[in-house]
Amino acid sequence: MSTEPPLTPSNAPAFELKSGVVTVPALNIFIADINIIAQQLRDKIQLAPEFFTNSAILIDLHAIQDEDLNLALLVDAIRNAGMHPIGIRGGSSAQQLMAKELMLSVMASHNNATETKAVTQAEPAVAKEDVSTAPAAASTNIETITIEHPIRSGQRVYAKGDLVVLAQVSAGAEIMAEGNIHVYGSLRGRALAGVLGNENVRIFCSDLQAELISIAGNYRVSEDIDDSVRATPVQIHLSKQALIIKNI
């Protein structure tokens, strides 16, 4: 006979802890002047308010860890702009202590973009030494998601590898992928490739009418897309932190 007590509403598991992947944009700070940061932040968010408003964000302090920064004012400026700071990355001991006092997390100093870039650069050497050991490539193929139906306004799709959409992506919809994005229909919503920082991915689409396109956090909104590539088949890639859009 079992000696375990029966589960009741009072002792039944109330939650479980599981690992997961959440994409959070990083705000890289280059100067300590809060007024300038706040103004430029407002200007940036006005370009794509739906993309940034209510978004969690990580503050990267690597570039100014030797400067006197009022982190509390910076956090206020970010919140006033409509985003929610969740933690810092890098920074001096004093800045990290201040972050803890502000109830912000202190992340490890290495970022996903750096790690992804390092892995990408190391892949050719591994392949040259032993072509038979290519589990990473097989894994990428497994994670590719193919969607055959239209993605409607309000829907969001996330792929850990490549994302292939065989129909249109409506305005107000959002598709995100850690790898490449292919849309074999009209792309009218938002498309974000390389969301974990992979700068070598691309976006392909048969009919570019997007509200926003982004690769590794570098984005361009509809108003910034040249008329010569609108409503045409294009490929989009990143070069020197700038999005390059070319007709196919």
Side-chain angles (χ1 to χ4, degrees), residues 23-141:
T23 302
V24 178
L27 183 66
N28 299 321
I29 303 298
F30 301 131
I31 63 173
D33 191 316
I34 303 300
N35 291 327
I36 294 176
I37 294 173
Q39 180 60 53
Q40 294 187 5
L41 196 55
R42 288 194 294 269
D43 293 342
K44 180 74 73 177
I45 291 176
Q46 286 178 356
L47 295 174
E50 292 185 359
F51 182 62
F52 292 109
T53 301
N54 294 323
S55 171
I57 196 160
L58 182 65
I59 305 170
D60 192 314
L61 300 177
H62 280 95
I64 59 165
Q65 60 186 10
D66 296 326
E67 298 187 31
D68 184 15
L69 171 72
N70 190 324
L71 186 59
L73 288 180
L74 175 61
V75 169
D76 285 343
I78 295 171
R79 287 174 175 160
N80 289 336
M83 294 187 291
H84 304 291
I86 61 170
I88 70 166
R89 185 168 59 197
S92 64
S93 299
Q95 291 168 346
Q96 293 180 1
L97 178 60
M98 190 182 303
K100 293 177 181 176
E101 292 175 350
L102 294 170
M103 305 298 288
L104 297 175
S105 299
V106 178
M107 307 293 185
S109 59
H110 294 293
N111 59 46
N112 285 331
T114 303
E115 292 170 356
T116 303
K117 191 171 183 178
V119 171
T120 303
Q121 290 173 343
E123 284 176 352
V126 173
K128 187 175 180 179
E129 291 175 4
D130 185 359
V131 177
S132 64
T133 58
S139 175
T140 300
N141 291 333

Side-chain angles (χ1 to χ4, degrees), residues 215-243:
I215 294 179
N218 300 273
Y219 71 92
R220 190 180 294 189
V221 296
S222 175
E223 291 78 4
D224 297 331
I225 297 176
D226 192 90
D227 288 340
S228 63
V229 294
R230 288 181 183 274
T232 63
V234 300
Q235 64 166 312
I236 304 158
H237 70 277
L238 195 62
S239 176
K240 298 179 180 179
Q241 305 304 309
L243 289 182

